Amino acid sequence: MGRGIYSALGHWPEAELLRVLEMLRAIGREVERRVPEDQHGAALPDAARAVLVSAVLEIRAFEARVGIATGVDAEIVSTPTGDAIELGNRGHRPFGAEHEEAAAVVAQALAAVMRAMGAPRVLWFTMD
């Protein structure tokens, strides 16, 4: 087993980064506390909340598959095209290459959340 990552990378205008980062970190804390799915992302528009609930269900399914809590966290990262927000599993806990396809499903779900929140450019990736 190596380092395990499922992540989405979202670019927002610089003036919005800190606001969006705090919203995503709050969602990460909700996931960690295991609040009911219908209570996630109260500050989000309804359409984005529906996408978020789907992503949380994918995280839960992934965690059950690998047998560890992976959760989700957000941070600002530097990219060649400017700062962006990375939304991915908390602490990059290793999950093994055999779970790469399942990790890709979670990464795509997180990218969908970022798109629903208005990120103009989003990509997703996994790494083990």
Side-chain angles (χ1 to χ4, degrees):
M1 265 218 245
R3 187 170 158 178
I5 297 173
Y6 57 72
S7 283
L9 192 66
H11 294 265
W12 273 271
E14 189 174 329
E16 294 181 40
L17 278 176
L18 291 178
R19 178 186 62 80
V20 173
L21 177 67
E22 184 46 45
M23 289 173 66
L24 291 170
R25 284 184 172 166
I27 289 165
R29 290 188 296 270
E30 292 169 353
V31 170
E32 187 174 9
R33 287 193 322 267
R34 302 189 82 75
V35 302
E37 284 82 11
D38 65 343
Q39 294 178 19
H40 286 284
L44 299 179
D46 288 343
R49 287 184 73 199
V51 174
L52 174 62
V53 168
S54 178
V56 171
L57 293 173
E58 292 296 348
I59 291 168
R60 296 289 177 239
F62 183 82
E63 291 175 331
R65 178 184 178 118
V66 301
I68 57 173
T70 54
V72 66
D73 199 8
E75 63 183 336
I76 293 179
V77 295
S78 294
T79 74
T81 59
D83 288 345
I85 297 175
E86 181 181 358
L87 180 64
N89 55 314
R90 184 177 297 279
H92 302 311
R93 296 195 53 200
F95 50 73
E98 68 273 24
H99 302 294
E100 192 74 20
E101 286 182 33
V105 171
V106 178
Q108 291 172 57
L110 295 176
V113 169
M114 294 179 121
R115 280 187 210 94
M117 291 178 67
R121 287 189 344 235
V122 178
L123 61 89
W124 63 269
F125 61 95
T126 64
M127 187 181 342
D128 186 58

